[in-house]
Amino acid sequence: MFGPANDAEVADWVRGLGLPGLVDVHVHFLPESVQRKVWAYFDDAERNYGRAWPIHYRGSEQQRVETLRALGVIGYAPLVYPHKPGMGEWLTEWVAGFAARVPEAVPTATLYPEPSVVRYLDAALRDGARCVKAHVQVGGYDPREEVLDAAWGLLADAGVPVVVHCGHGPLPGEFTGLSVFEDVLRRHPRLTAVLAHAGMPEISRALDLVARYSRVYLDTTMVGVGFTLESAPLPDDWTARLAEVPDRVVLGTDFPSVPYPYAEQVRAIAGWAQAPGLGEPFLRAVLHDTGARLLALGER
Ligand SMILES: [Zn+2]
């Protein structure tokens, strides 16, 4: 087996690569009331997704912060996302407060197609937001909506990465699919976009976008773990294509709402690194260096 056998081994294993720790661009912290609703949805996953989804890390907020610390995660983007109008600004303000009390967390923001979006996004960027989450499936919106055009432009100009859930997995939405989001990239080719879940299940198309747009990245969230391999198998040329863009892949995990231990995601990545042309330089890039650069760690 390559990589850490369990969560207790993760931090030491990462230090063994010569890294100060992990940088995770895709974790979630939410206001308690929202977090409870999200977990209730996962608890009903057999009805919602057609399969059970037992949340692995269901502690208090403080316990979850400490779990990440124990795993050696030294920097992360706590991502929030609205499912209806009127929540984006409130969530963005809440997460700024969270980042102010948790040193490993960078301030983030979110967006939603609504008249106030440019105002609150611009304010968040001025206040130091370093990463933005856009959830096309949960939000149920078209990312090409005109009201969002200026928001994408603002992010492209600021060079602040947006983690975009625009793939069809785990459930397709009205406007999911990488061809839809590519329309946004065509208009804003300088946008720094991190395709969450490597665009699952359209992983090959996600790699095509990485090849075509120099500021597009993939995150590893739920990619290559047992839970998703059946529904979203990796393309046969996955590692060969990673070797072409080793600095455009970043660690993401969806902590805490995953149905398996954190170590399993790290092991999946360690397994890819066994392929020709990858190895430890690839691991150092994915697990720390690229994420640290995207989140501008060390510049605070
Ligand atoms: Zn997520």
Side-chain angles (χ1 to χ4, degrees):
M1 182 177 25
F2 303 109
N6 52 50
D7 280 9
E9 289 186 7
V10 171
D12 281 346
W13 180 81
V14 170
R15 276 191 288 269
L17 297 168
L19 293 174
L22 295 167
V23 176
D24 188 335
V25 303
H26 190 151
V27 312
H28 294 290
F29 280 89
L30 292 163
E32 200 55 40
S33 58
V34 181
Q35 185 67 76
R36 266 200 299 271
K37 281 184 195 148
V38 169
W39 283 343
Y41 187 81
F42 283 112
D43 289 342
D44 213 7
E46 279 172 73
R47 208 170 52 169
N48 294 323
Y49 292 125
R51 64 188 301 195
W53 194 305
I55 303 294
H56 197 81
Y57 298 99
R58 194 192 298 250
S60 67
E61 181 183 289
Q62 189 56 35
Q63 284 168 329
R64 281 175 270 132
V65 165
E66 279 162 18
T67 298
L68 287 172
R69 261 173 214 156
L71 287 160
V73 184
I74 56 170
Y76 56 87
L79 303 177
V80 295
Y81 51 92
H83 64 281
K84 59 182 184 191
M87 279 180 82
E89 183 169 18
W90 171 66
L91 287 169
T92 296
E93 286 170 4
W94 180 87
V95 81
F98 175 81
R101 62 182 184 268
V102 178
E104 300 89 342
V106 304
T108 70
T110 189
L111 53 77
Y112 193 85
E114 52 197 341
S116 54
V117 63
V118 169
R119 180 186 51 74
Y120 67 73
L121 194 57
D122 186 48
L125 293 175
R126 283 173 201 280
D127 286 346
R130 285 156 183 256
C131 189
V132 173
K133 169 75 167 184
H135 207 312
V136 173
Q137 185 233 319
V138 167
Y141 58 80
D142 188 335
R144 300 166 297 193
E145 271 193 53
E146 199 169 340
V147 68
L148 287 177
D149 195 54
W152 301 126
L154 200 61
L155 294 176
D157 289 346
V160 168
V162 56
V163 177
V164 194
H165 185 130
C166 56
H168 293 306
L171 286 181
E174 199 175 345
F175 301 105
T176 55
L178 297 189
S179 62
V180 173
F181 193 71
E182 185 171 12
D183 287 342
V184 174
L185 290 170
R186 248 182 234 118
R187 271 188 65 76
H188 301 281
R190 290 169 50 250
L191 183 66
T192 304
V194 179
L195 303 175
H197 312 282
M200 280 199 297
E202 299 180 284
I203 296 175
S204 291
R205 292 197 72 152
L207 285 158
D208 294 343
L209 293 186
V210 170
R212 222 170 288 153
Y213 298 92
S214 62
R215 295 189 182 175
V216 170
Y217 295 75
L218 306 181
D219 86 26
T220 65
T221 307
M222 301 191 82
V223 180
V225 297
F227 186 76
T228 48
L229 276 175
E230 277 170 49
S231 53
L234 294 169
D236 291 339
D237 59 356
W238 169 243
T239 51
R241 294 192 70 183
L242 291 183
E244 292 166 7
V245 288
D247 55 350
R248 306 275 290 286
V249 185
V250 280
L251 174 68
T253 61
D254 251 348
F255 176 93
S257 299
V258 282
Y260 48 78
Y262 198 97
E264 189 171 338
Q265 183 72 70
V266 178
R267 271 204 305 280
I269 299 165
W272 308 334
Q274 301 305 309
L278 293 175
E280 289 197 6
F282 171 78
L283 284 177
R284 282 191 284 272
V286 175
L287 298 175
H288 176 272
D289 298 353
T290 305
R293 203 173 66 240
L294 283 177
L295 300 182
L297 297 184
E299 289 174 30
R300 285 192 278 181

